[in-house]
Every structure is written in structure tokens, then in C-alpha cells.
């Protein structure tokens, strides 16, 4: 048992134990099996993973959400605790940040089996569609990954400097070289410390809105569709809380594992677990509340889609799984923290062990339920588990400890510098306290924050939706109306059969005036009879089709008129008029063809999509925000490197 | 010559406002490229898209001033005549070499409010605001200026975001190796796609046939004349019987409706409701 952070950090660098080798071998075998399963899926198509048209999203996207979600533990334990000055975090930060980096990388990699045609994944960078939530998912995940790596890497500089000097034997050649490069020029000068603290403060402020953005955009990939239970405004915040919840749980598991494996009991004790447990309880209560708030309104109103979905979820064939989550993933962990006799390391580890798989289960329900709902028939399809996705999921799970074990073979397990800094502060505070011992001694968490940067105010996050409502000018189409001659009283002549019909077409002012004359067999005009006008089209095939323009009654002079607005400019447009005295009589027809020189499309576009313009402004704003985040993060790395430079020059000139 | 019997005193000319929604001069939307071009990255961003308006399917980029569309393809489905024989589905599957479960035009047994059922064919609705197009992360779904929503399977990454977004369940994925093409091999175009494993497929309204004046496979195959292919620009629609109608008047006279109007998708498929009844209309 040790309380010396450098010594603890060097411990994984020694000759690996048999247990370590066996563990790596076993975990490596599971990961290899996952890769085999993925190759099988690539060859056979996603059908071998149990997907079908009525379960188009399922296990892999649930895995992506779960793995990227658990990486939030790093953000919480490190960033929030750093910003709130919780000094007890110090021995946990490196493990938490390492877990964050490893899990976000695995989570991003799980997008690959989720995609049907992964060979084209580069298109997300090369030819993205900026109106797609999935593209912004990708941007958010990449930005968050970059921030996680920066947040993980910056504190390595002083730690590696601390180990580099004087531990060459334990480090070995490879690590000595690596540490020399990374910590080059770091001497721990006050200016260097100030710059590093400033950079870390800024990154820890930035990483919080970034973490929020990732799970929000993931949720919006679902919520921006019209499917029941996905199309919910609460999904984004609910996703964020879910991620924080499962993230803290995974940190507990990782810390417990490394504490046991490398005997870090002297540095990490029950106090740490219980405090993490309190954070867990907060998120547990929060997530239960969000779940209730998510389900209540839809269940209450009972619209067909949401009603069917929630019936299946709460009392139908998914009910067993849902209530298993609610009890084992929400209520039990809360109780384990709440009850004093389970509020210990074992209790917290048990709670975390329940939470991680149960949160995966919840995501699985949230993804697969609505994805299997047919919005036309209201029936549910089903996702069929096969060995392929299960193996890939287990491989991703095994990759967490595997990558962490390998990672901490290379980088120090403890944030040595941070621990020592906090110890110094606590010692100084202890001295101050002793000096003031005349007054009543106060016990308890009095540790002031290490001066983590209140002066740095992050300019990050928050995107503004500019909801500029645009006025739409509506024009009403003016219809050319034709006055139809009032029918004169019928005279005896109407009883005579039709003799002839004539048609005349004249183009004038963008429309065609059609007029027909109807005569009876005696050559007299035939009034009050319906004649049918039509035009001919060859648009759908070489065979001419006659398109009826409607029937018009003739006036007492035997004339019928109709105005037609042509839709196509044509060399020769044929018009036909016909008249049949009775339904089964042979009609008399007449036709004429004229040249149509002006035409107007009959198509009237529908109203534009609401807020389409605002969407574009949002996209431009988002790009500006993302670019500034990347630049700021990169600048922090440069800043820390630069502050090391003058010292390095001085050192080399001395040598 | 078909008889056409709207009330005789009604002026038949002009597009009725009931058939096509109120006219609006399309807001002068500028391409996002223009905005971003200011950001001095022009060339590199040439492939970036913001899918909210029509694209030319054949060329990667439309010209600076898009020519006014010559056609606006649409479909009319006269449910009064439909007996649910599903020949439309099989005709489509034969033409596009689809599996049995890949029903680009699917005949649903819909339930009416009295407990009865009626058959309802559902092709792609060719929405004017297609949700599937907005959500495609790589812009593989596009909308031609003639209003056809098509998929470029050479770009499709298989994210299935479109399947999630489509309110009409009209998209089908190639979960396994697709069936070999039955017809002679053709180059893969959005208009006549060649199915590929891991990409999505959907009804294309037989876009390769329309310019030739040929009918889509489903329309041609329908033995009842239920399906009409139409053009909102020329205001003409035709079914397998060769019955040619003045589209706007036909829709108005028969109280045509669109499916899931509340989704705001502006679908270009019109349904004439009814189930074999003689309503004294066109039928």
C-alpha cells in the first residue's frame, strides 16, 4: 500500500504480472472476436446482425450512445470538480480522463458497424449535408473527442517531467524518450504553472458545454424525425443526464478496478467512492424524474402512435425490460447510496455495476421501440439479436479495460502534479488553521479550491436559434372565368338530331379562346346543348390522349365558348370539340390545331418549409462556434508548449 | 372521348385553387454556398450541400440560374377502383429486381372508421419538403427540379437516417446482397438505381421512363386503372387505360386528398377516396 503518487504511477510500468498478461490476452481475444464478427457483417450485410426494414436502428446506435455517454464521467469528475474546487478529485482525475478518452474513441468507432456502407464514411468530411443532424453528430463527437484528448494530455506535461527526472530505470527506454519529448522545457516555474492552470481551467469550462452538445445532438438525430416517442423535446436534456449518470458509474468501476489491481488503497479510499456515490444518486434521481416526465404527457393524451409505443413499453411485451431498468438501473442504485449500511465501496461498486448495463438497456428500448413501429399500420416489427452484434458489443466492452490497461502502461496513472499541489495547499491551510487554534477548531471539508480559474470566462457553447419568421406573400391565382350564355327557352327545333359541329381556336393574351358552333341536321343553330372541349396530348406515349376541358352549353345561336390557358408552348396544339345528343349516341366532333406561343405552368408550388432561412443562419453560426472551439483548444496546447520554450533554450545553452 | 360532368355552369378553365395550394413566389433562397463562399473557402466547399431545395440529379451542381422546370411529376391514386390485387407491387419489383419484402409501392390494408378495410397503394410520396432529404448526412438523397426525390446509391453511406425520417415508411434497405438485376446491366443512376448492399432504395417513379413519355411500371401494370401518372406543369394525368384527364380539374372534382397532410411534407401523391362506390364522378 502506498500513498506516494509517483510510486503508484510507476507501478504499472514494471514487469507485467501473469494476471495482467492473462487479462490482456483474454480481453484481446474478445476484441478480436468482435472484429471477426464485423468482417462477417461486412460480407453478409447488416441483415446478419438482425436488422430489417422494421428495425432499421437498433443495437449499434444504442452502443454508440452508451459508450459516448460513459465518457462523460471524465468530464464530470475532472472538469466540474476542478471548477468547483473539490480537492478530493485529485487521485481520480487521470483515471477518469483516461476513461473518457478511451470510451469516446470506442463509441465513435461503433458508428462503423452501425453504418451500412462504411467505406463511404469519408463523405461525412468530404461532402456533408449541413442540414442533417447526423452530420452535426459527427462534428460534435469529433470536437468533444479532441477536447477530451487535450484535457487528458495537458496535465501530462508536469507529471511526465516529475517522473522523467530520477526514475529512468523504472521508466525504461521508450517511456523515457516519450516523457522527455512531452515534458521538454517544463521546470515548474511559477509562470509555467500559471499558464498550465489557466489552460486547464479554460478547457474544463469548455468541455462541459461540449459534453452537453454531444448527447443533445445525438438525441436530436432521433427527435428531429416524426416517429412516436422520438419526436420529444425532452430527449436532449434526458440524454445528457443519462450520459452523466452512466459516466459516473463507469468511473466508479474503473477506479475500483485499478485500485484493486495496483493496490492504490492508500491514495483512493472509501471517501472517494461515497462522494462519487452522492453524485450518482443526484443523477439517478434526475434521470428517474426525466424518464417520468418523458412518458407522462404521451401516455396521458394517448395519441395512436405514442399511445401504442408506451403501451408496449409500460405494460406490453417490453414492460419487463423497462421495469427492470427502472428498478435495477434507477431505484436500487439510489437506495444503495441512500442507506448508510450500503454506503461503502462495495455498495457503490454494486450500484455502478447495475447502472452501466441498465442504461444500455434503456437506450436499447428507446432506440429499437420507435424504430420498429410502422407509422402507417401501427404494428410493431422486431429486432432479432444474433451473435454478430452481441459479439461486437462485448468486444467494445472488453476494449475499455484493455485500452485502459495499455494506456496506463504508458502514461502515469496518477495526476502527480495535481495531487502534490493540492497536498501543499492543504498543508498550508493546516498550518494556518493551527495558528488560529486559539479559536474553536473546525473540522470538515474546508479545503479551498486550488486557484482554478475564476478569472477565465469561457466563451463557448450556446448556440442561438434565430427564429426569424419570414413573411410569405400569398398570391391568389386569377382564374379566367367564362361567362356562359343564359339558356333561352327551348324551342321545338331542339328535338332534331345534330347535324354538324365546328370549332375555332384563337390565341390571345396568353390564353386560347375556343368557340364551337353546333347545328342540327337542318342546319339551324342548336341551343342549350352541352358540348365537350378537349385538347390532345402526347406527353404519355405516342398515342394521343384527349384531355377533357369540360362541357359548356351552347347559347341560342348554337355557340359555346371556353377559355383555356395553355401549359405548353407547341408548334401545333390540337383542340377537339364533341357533342353527343344522348349518352349512347355517336358523338359528332370537330378539331382544329393552332400554334401556341405563350404558355403558363399550371403548377403552383406549396408553401415553403417554415424557418428554412433560420436553419441556414443556424448552420453558419454553428460553424463559427465549432471553428472557434477547435482554435481555442489548439491554442491551449500551443500556449503550454510555448511557456516551456524559453526555459528549454536556457537549459540547452547551459549544457 | 370521355364524358366530363362537372356542373355545367362552372367555368372549367384555369387551375382550381383547391387542387394546388395557394401560390407563393418561392422565397428567393440563396444557396448556402454563396454565403459560405464569403468565408473564402469556396473551392473546398464545392461538395458541401444544404439539402433543402431541388438539385439537378444528373449534375453535381445546378447552374447559377436554374431553368424553370418543364415538368412537376405527381401521382393520382383513385382508391374507388382499387381491388388490392398488388400487381403494381409485383410490376415494380420485377422492373427494379427487388426482393419480396422490398415493396417500393406497397398496398396497405387500411382500416376505415367503421371497422372495414380498403386497399391503399403507397408509392414514394415525392414530397416537396422531403424529410428524408434533409436528414441524409452525405446528401445522397436529392430532389430534382422536376420534383423527383431520388437516392444516389454511389454516395449512400447507409446511415438509415432517411428511413427514420420518412413518415410514409417508403424506404427499403439492402440488408443483404441484393438480387442480381434481371434486365440488361445499366449504369447506376439515381433515376434507375442499381441496388447495392448496405444502401437504401425507394420508389423512383420510374424516372428514367418519364422523359420518354412512358408510364411507370406500377401505373402501366395496374389492371384497374387506379394509378395515374401526372404532370402538374402541363396539368395532365394518365392511367393504364390511356384515360387522360385535366389533372387540376380531376383532383378538384373528386375531392382528392394527400396522405398525412399534417406532416407538412407537401406530398405529390393525391388520393381519391372511396372503395368501389359509384360516386357519380369520373368513374
Amino acid at each position: 500500500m502506498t500513498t506516494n503518487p509517483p510510486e503508484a504511477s510507476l507501478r504499472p510500468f514494471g514487469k507485467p504480472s501473469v494476471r495482467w498478461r492473462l487479462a490482456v490476452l483474454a480481453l484481446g481475444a474478445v476484441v478480436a472476436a468482435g472484429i471477426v464478427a464485423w468482417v462477417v457483417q461486412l460480407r453478409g450485410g447488416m441483415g446478419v446482425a438482425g436488422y430489417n426494414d422494421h428495425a432499421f436502428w437498433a443495437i449499434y446506435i444504442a452502443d454508440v450512445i452508451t459508450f459516448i455517454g460513459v465518457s462523460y464521467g471524465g468530464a464530470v469528475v475532472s472538469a466540474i470538480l476542478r471548477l468547483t474546487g473539490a480537492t478530493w478529485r485529485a487521485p481520480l482525475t487521470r483515471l477518469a480522463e483516461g476513461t473518457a478518452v478511451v470510451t469516446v474513441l470506442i463509441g465513435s468507432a461503433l458508428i462503423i458497424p452501425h453504418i451500412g456502407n462504411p467505406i463511404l464514411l469519408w463523405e461525412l468530411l468530404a461532402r456533408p449535408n449541413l442540414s442533417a443532424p447526423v452530420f452535426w453528430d459527427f462534428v460534435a463527437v469529433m470536437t468533444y473527442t479532441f477536447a477530451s484528448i487535450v484535457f487528458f494530455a495537458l496535465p501530462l506535461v508536469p507529471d511526465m517531467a516529475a517522473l522523467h527526472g530520477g526514475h529512468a530505470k523504472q521508466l525504461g527506454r521508450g517511456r523515457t524518450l516519450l516523457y522527455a519529448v512531452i515534458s521538454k522545457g517544463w521546470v515548474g516555474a511559477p509562470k509555467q504553472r500559471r499558464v498550465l492552470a489557466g489552460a486547464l481551467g479554460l478547457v474544463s469550462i469548455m468541455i462541459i458545454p461540449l459534453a452537453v452538445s454531444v448527447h443533445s445532438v445525438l438525441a436530436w438525430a432521433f427527435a428531429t424525425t416524426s416517429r412516436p416517442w422520438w419526436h420529444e423535446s425532452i430527449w436532449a436534456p434526458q440524454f445528457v443526464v443519462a450520459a452523466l449518470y452512466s459516466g459516473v458509474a463507469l468511473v466508479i468501476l474503473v477506479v475500483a478496478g485499478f485500485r484493486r489491481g495496483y493496490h492504490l488503497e492508500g491514495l483512493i479510499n472509501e471517501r472517494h467512492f461515497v462522494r462519487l456515490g452522492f453524485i450518482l444518486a443526484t443523477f439517478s434521481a434526475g434521470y428517474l424524474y426525466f424518464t417520468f416526465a418523458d412518458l407522462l404527457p404521451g401516455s396521458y393524451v394517448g395519441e395512436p402512435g405514442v399511445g401504442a409505443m408506451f403501451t408496449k413499453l409500460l405494460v406490453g411485451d417490453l414492460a419487463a425490460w423497462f421495469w427492470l431498468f427502472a428498478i435495477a438501473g434507477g431505484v436500487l442504485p439510489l437506495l444503495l447510496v441512500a442507506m448508510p449500511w450500503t454506503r461503502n465501496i462495495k455498495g457503490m461498486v454494486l450500484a455502478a455495476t447495475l447502472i452501466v448495463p441498465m442504461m444500455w438497456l434503456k437506450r436499447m428500448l428507446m432506440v429499437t421501440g420507435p424504430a420498429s413501429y410502422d407509422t402507417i399500420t401501427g404494428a410493431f416489427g422486431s429486432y432479432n439479436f444474433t451473435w454478430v452484434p452481441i459479439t461486437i458489443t462485448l468486444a467494445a466492452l472488453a476494449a475499455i479495460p484493455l485500452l485502459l490497461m495499455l494506456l496506463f502502461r504508458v502514461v502515469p496513472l496518477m495526476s502527480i502534479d495535481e495531487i502534490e499541489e493540492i497536498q501543499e495547499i492543504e498543508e498550508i491551510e493546516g498550518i494556518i488553521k493551527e495558528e488560529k487554534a486559539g479559536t474553536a477548531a473546525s473540522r470538515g471539508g474546508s479545503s479551498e479550491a486550488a486557484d482554478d480559474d475564476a478569472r477565465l470566462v469561457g466563451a463557448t457553447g450556446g448556440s442561438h436559434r434565430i427564429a426569424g419568421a419570414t413573411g410569405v406573400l400569398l398570391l391568389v391565382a386569377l382564374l379566367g372565368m367564362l361567362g356562359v350564355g343564359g339558356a333561352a327557352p327551348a324551342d321545338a327545333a331542339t328535338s332534331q338530331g345534330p347535324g354538324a359541329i365546328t370549332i375555332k381556336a384563337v390565341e390571345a393574351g396568353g390564353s386560347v379562346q375556343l368557340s364551337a358552333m353546333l347545328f342540327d341536321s337542318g342546319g339551324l343553330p342548336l341551343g342549350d346543348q352541352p358540348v365537350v372541349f378537349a385538347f390532345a396530348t402526347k406527353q404519355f406515349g405516342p398515342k394521343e390522349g384527349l384531355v377533357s376541358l369540360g362541357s359548356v352549353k351552347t347559347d341560342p345561336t348554337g355557340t359555346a365558348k371556353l377559355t383555356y390557358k395553355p401549359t405548353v408552348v407547341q408548334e401545333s396544339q390540337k383542340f377537339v370539340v364533341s357533342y353527343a345528343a344522348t349518352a349512347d349516341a355517336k358523338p359528332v366532333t370537330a378539331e382544329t390545331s393552332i400554334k401556341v406561343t405563350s404558355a403558363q405552368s399550371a403548377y403552383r408550388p406549396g408553401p415553403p418549409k417554415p424557418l428554412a432561412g433560420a436553419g441556414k443562419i443556424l448552420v453558419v453560426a454553428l460553424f463559427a462556434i465549432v471553428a472557434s472551439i477547435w482554435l481555442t483548444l489548439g491554442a491551449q496546447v500551443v500556449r503550454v508548449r510555448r511557456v516551456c520554450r524559453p526555459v528549454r533554450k536556457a537549459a540547452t545553452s547551459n549544457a | 372521348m370521355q364524358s366530363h360532368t362537372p356542373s355545367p355552369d362552372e367555368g372549367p378553365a384555369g387551375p382550381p385553387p383547391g387542387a394546388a395550394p395557394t401560390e407563393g413566389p418561392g422565397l428567393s433562397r440563396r444557396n448556402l454556398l454563396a454565403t459560405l463562399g464569403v468565408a473564402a473557402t469556396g473551392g473546398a466547399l464545392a461538395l458541401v450541400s444544404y439539402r433543402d431545395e431541388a438539385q439537378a440529379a444528373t449534375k453535381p451542381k445546378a447552374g447559377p440560374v436554374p431553368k424553370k422546370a418543364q415538368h412537376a411529376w405527381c401521382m393520382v391514386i383513385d382508391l374507388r377502383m382499387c381491388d388490392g390485387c398488388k400487381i403494381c407491387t409485383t410490376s415494380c419489383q420485377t422492373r427494379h429486381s427487388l426482393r419480396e419484402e422490398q415493396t417500393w409501392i406497397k398496398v396497405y390494408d387500411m382500416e376505415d372508421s367503421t371497422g372495414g378495410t380498403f386497399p391503399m397503394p403507397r408509392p414514394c410520396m415525392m414530397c416537396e419538403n422531403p424529410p428524408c432529404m434533409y436528414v441524409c448526412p452525405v446528401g445522397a438523397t436529392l430532389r430534382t427540379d422536376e420534383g423527383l426525390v431520388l437516392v444516389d446509391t454511389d454516395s449512400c453511406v447507409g446511415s438509415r437516417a432517411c428511413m427514420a425520417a420518412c413518415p410514409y415508411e417508403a424506404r427499403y434497405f439492402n440488408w443483404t446482397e441484393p438480387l442480381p438485376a434481371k434486365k440488361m446491366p445499366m449504369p447506376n443512376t439515381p433515376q434507375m438505381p442499381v441496388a447495392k448492399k448496405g444502401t437504401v432504395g425507394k420508389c423512383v417513379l420510374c424516372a428514367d421512363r418519364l422523359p420518354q413519355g412512358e408510364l411507370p411500371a406500377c401505373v402501366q401494370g395496374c389492371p384497374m386503372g387506379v394509378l395515374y401518372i401526372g404532370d402538374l406543369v402541363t396539368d395532365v394525368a394518365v392511367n393504364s387505360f390511356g384515360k387522360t384527364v385535366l389533372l387540376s380539374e380531376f383532383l378538384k372534382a373528386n375531392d382528392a386528398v394527400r396522405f398525412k397532410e399534417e406532416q407538412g411534407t407537401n406530398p405529390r401523391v393525391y388520393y381519391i377516396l372511396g372503395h368501389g362506390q359509384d360516386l357519380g364522378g369520373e368513374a
Side-chain angles (χ1 to χ4, degrees):
Chain A
M1 199 180 284
T2 179
T3 55
N4 178 2
E7 200 269 319
S9 293
L10 288 169
R11 199 167 297 159
F13 299 166
K15 195 171 182 311
S17 66
V18 177
R19 263 173 61 198
W20 190 91
R21 285 168 194 273
L22 280 177
V24 166
L25 214 62
L27 294 169
V30 178
V31 173
I35 292 169
V36 169
W38 179 58
V39 172
V40 168
Q41 181 186 309
L42 274 185
R43 295 171 69 107
M46 296 200 71
V48 304
Y51 283 78
N52 56 74
D53 285 321
H54 286 107
F56 54 86
W57 278 353
I59 183 166
Y60 294 133
I61 195 72
D63 288 352
V64 170
I65 300 166
T66 305
F67 278 80
I68 293 179
V70 290
S71 86
Y72 278 34
V76 178
V77 174
S78 287
I80 298 182
L81 297 184
R82 169 179 281 273
L83 290 170
T84 52
T87 50
W88 59 270
R89 74 180 190 276
L92 312 179
T93 51
R94 180 60 41 77
L95 279 168
E97 288 160 20
T99 310
V101 171
V102 161
T103 48
V104 79
L105 289 176
I106 298 171
S108 313
L110 279 165
I111 294 171
I112 295 169
H114 170 68
I115 291 290
N117 200 6
I119 199 128
L120 291 181
L121 212 51
W122 57 270
E123 287 185 335
L124 274 176
L125 277 173
R127 39 167 299 167
N129 173 18
L130 307 185
S131 68
V134 173
F135 165 71
W136 291 102
D137 262 352
F138 173 75
V139 172
V141 170
M142 289 304 120
T143 309
Y144 173 66
T145 306
F146 180 48
S148 297
I149 292 171
V150 170
F151 196 45
F152 176 73
L154 281 182
L156 289 179
V157 175
D159 289 356
M160 288 189 169
L163 290 179
H164 181 237
H167 298 89
K169 202 194 272 173
Q170 290 105 311
L171 282 181
R173 284 246 304 277
R175 277 181 289 257
T176 306
L177 193 70
L178 178 75
Y179 285 24
V181 171
I182 290 180
S183 67
K184 202 169 186 177
W186 177 270
V187 293
K191 194 188 172 204
Q192 289 181 336
R193 292 199 166 280
R194 210 169 54 241
V195 168
L196 181 68
L200 278 172
L202 184 59
V203 178
S204 42
I205 291 171
M206 289 175 73
I207 208 160
I208 294 166
L210 280 180
V212 170
S213 79
V214 171
H215 256 60
S216 298
V217 187
L218 272 176
W220 288 329
F222 300 93
T224 53
T225 70
S226 61
R227 272 173 203 278
W229 198 24
W230 281 359
H231 190 48
E232 304 283 350
S233 55
I234 204 174
W235 266 42
Q238 189 188 17
F239 263 50
V240 173
V241 172
L244 292 169
Y245 183 37
S246 59
V248 174
L250 187 70
V251 167
I252 291 179
L253 292 181
V254 169
V255 167
F258 276 85
R259 177 177 178 266
R260 199 186 157 94
Y262 291 119
H263 297 289
L264 308 173
E265 289 87 349
L267 284 158
I268 303 169
N269 52 43
E270 192 169 280
R271 186 184 70 138
H272 293 101
F273 284 90
V274 170
R275 284 182 174 170
L276 286 174
F278 286 147
I279 300 178
L280 208 58
T282 312
F283 289 135
S284 173
Y287 192 63
L288 283 171
Y289 161 72
F290 269 96
T291 303
F292 183 74
D294 182 22
L295 299 178
L296 178 73
S299 311
Y300 194 93
V301 174
E303 285 173 292
V306 182
M309 184 63 243
F310 289 171
T311 303
K312 186 182 171 81
L313 184 74
L314 299 176
V315 293
D317 50 5
L318 293 180
W321 299 112
F322 174 78
W323 293 108
L324 176 66
F325 147 76
I327 305 292
V331 176
L332 271 184
L334 198 57
L335 287 177
L336 284 169
V337 182
M339 291 190 296
W341 51 90
T342 54
R343 201 186 298 147
N344 49 38
I345 296 180
K346 277 201 181 113
M348 296 308 104
V349 170
L350 177 61
T353 313
L354 286 171
I355 290 164
V356 173
M358 286 301 124
M359 288 307 290
W360 174 84
L361 173 63
K362 176 77 193 304
R363 267 74 163 252
M364 195 65 198
L365 294 172
M366 292 170 91
V367 168
T368 316
S372 62
Y373 178 73
D374 187 314
T375 57
I376 295 180
T377 62
F380 283 92
S382 65
Y383 172 72
N384 311 306
F385 280 98
T386 68
W387 69 273
V388 172
I390 293 173
T391 311
I392 290 178
T393 304
L394 290 177
L397 190 64
I400 299 178
L402 179 66
L403 290 179
L404 282 173
M405 285 166 79
L406 296 175
L407 179 70
F408 291 118
R409 283 279 289 167
V410 179
V411 302
L413 190 60
M414 292 283 145
S415 37
I416 303 163
D417 194 62
E418 202 172 337
I419 296 173
E420 284 173 351
E421 199 175 35
I422 287 170
Q423 276 171 352
E424 275 168 33
I425 293 166
E426 280 174 347
E427 270 166 34
I428 293 166
E429 279 169 356
I431 294 166
I432 295 169
K433 234 175 264 168
E434 275 167 31
E435 283 170 354
K436 290 181 180 171
T439 54
S442 63
R443 275 178 55 85
S446 64
S447 43
E448 273 292 311
D451 70 48
D452 301 344
D453 283 350
R455 72 193 105 94
L456 286 163
V457 178
T460 59
S463 59
H464 291 280
R465 277 185 182 275
I466 301 149
T470 325
V472 178
L473 182 69
L474 295 175
L475 292 179
V476 178
L478 291 170
L479 306 179
M481 294 298 288
L482 179 76
V484 177
D491 28 75
T494 53
S495 60
Q496 291 206 329
I501 193 166
T502 62
I503 184 168
K504 202 171 79 177
V506 180
E507 192 187 20
S511 55
V512 175
Q513 302 286 341
L514 298 172
S515 59
M517 298 279 286
L518 185 64
F519 305 99
D520 64 12
S521 49
L524 291 167
L526 201 52
D528 198 30
Q529 294 297 314
V531 298
V532 179
F533 291 97
F535 70 90
T537 180
K538 286 187 176 176
Q539 184 178 1
F540 296 105
K543 197 168 148 274
E544 203 168 69
L546 282 183
V547 181
S548 168
L549 291 169
S551 73
V552 180
K553 279 195 174 170
T554 53
D555 63 12
T557 65
T559 311
K561 287 181 177 167
L562 188 144
T563 307
Y564 167 66
K565 285 201 186 301
T567 55
V568 193
V569 174
Q570 269 177 356
E571 202 51 47
S572 168
Q573 171 69 63
K574 185 159 105 183
F575 293 95
V576 180
V577 68
S578 67
Y579 169 75
T582 56
D584 49 357
K586 193 172 184 295
V588 287
T589 62
E591 60 179 65
T592 181
S593 292
I594 61 161
K595 183 177 176 178
V596 175
T597 55
S598 81
Q600 199 190 356
S601 164
Y603 170 60
R604 300 285 174 272
K609 197 173 188 304
L611 298 174
K616 290 187 177 182
I617 296 166
L618 176 68
V619 161
V620 175
L622 283 177
F623 260 119
I625 291 168
V626 170
S628 66
I629 290 171
W630 280 78
L631 287 175
T632 313
L633 288 172
Q636 303 316 305
V637 177
V638 173
R639 206 173 142 200
V640 171
R641 292 304 315 158
R642 271 175 65 178
V643 77
C644 296
R645 201 179 291 154
V647 187
R648 187 175 63 203
K649 271 179 195 158
T652 44
S653 63
N654 286 351
Chain B
M1 183 82 229
Q2 301 85 37
S3 72
H4 181 83
T5 57
S7 54
D9 55 349
E10 191 182 315
T22 40
E23 177 189 11
L27 282 178
S28 76
R29 298 181 189 170
R30 278 189 304 155
N31 197 327
L32 183 77
L33 283 177
T35 322
L36 287 178
V38 183
T41 27
L45 287 170
L47 287 166
V48 173
S49 56
Y50 185 92
R51 286 286 152 95
D52 71 338
E53 47 198 37
Q55 328 275 325
T58 44
K59 290 168 284 176
K61 254 178 79 182
V65 183
K67 212 169 58 171
K68 205 167 177 215
Q70 299 289 304
H71 302 286
W73 303 113
C74 73
M75 204 177 217
V76 184
I77 299 178
D78 189 348
L79 293 179
R80 291 170 301 189
M81 307 302 292
C82 183
D83 63 357
C85 68
K86 298 187 172 68
I87 290 176
C88 51
T89 310
T90 50
S91 310
C92 170
Q93 289 175 328
T94 307
R95 171 135 212 268
H96 294 286
S97 305
L98 300 175
R99 288 179 192 281
E100 200 188 337
E101 68 274 14
Q102 292 174 318
T103 45
W104 284 5
I105 180 164
K106 179 171 181 172
V107 182
Y108 281 93
D109 277 323
M110 301 296 279
E111 216 168 289
D112 63 26
S113 303
T114 63
T117 61
F118 61 95
M120 187 182 106
R122 187 256 25 223
C124 170
M125 298 286 149
M126 298 294 169
C127 306
E128 297 192 358
N129 290 331
C132 56
M133 182 180 78
Y134 305 138
V135 301
C136 177
V138 295
T141 293
L142 43 91
R143 183 163 175 265
T144 69
D145 56 355
E146 295 182 349
L148 295 175
V149 180
L150 304 174
V151 180
D152 177 6
T153 54
D154 285 335
S155 311
C156 175
V157 288
S159 77
R160 281 122 48 230
C162 53
M163 301 181 74
C166 178
Y168 305 101
E169 310 280 4
R171 284 174 169 259
Y172 295 86
F173 202 72
N174 290 302
W175 299 107
T176 51
E177 198 62 59
L179 299 178
K182 288 194 184 97
K183 299 279 170 65
M184 68 175 180
M186 279 195 262
N188 182 21
T189 60
Q191 283 80 0
M192 182 60 186
V194 177
K196 277 201 242 171
K197 184 178 71 189
T199 66
V200 81
K202 66 177 264 298
C203 162
V204 291
L205 216 60
C206 289
D208 59 320
R209 287 187 170 189
L210 296 177
Q212 275 81 52
E214 291 172 48
L215 307 184
C218 54
V219 175
Q220 195 177 44
C222 178
M224 304 299 286
V226 171
L227 305 171
Y228 290 75
I229 178 74
D231 181 349
L232 294 164
V233 169
T234 59
D235 208 15
V236 170
V238 66
N239 69 358
S240 57
F241 296 163
K243 178 173 159 181
T244 316
V245 296
L246 188 66
L247 180 58
S248 52
E249 199 56 33
F250 185 61
L251 296 175
K252 191 183 173 191
N254 294 298
D255 296 322
V257 295
R258 300 188 295 186
F259 193 24
K260 298 197 183 182
E261 189 78 66
E262 75 279 5
Q263 296 276 342
T265 51
N266 269 324
R268 276 203 185 163
V269 173
Y270 296 85
Y271 287 94
I272 294 169
L273 298 182
H275 180 201
Q277 313 89 315
D278 180 11
L279 297 175
E282 283 288 320

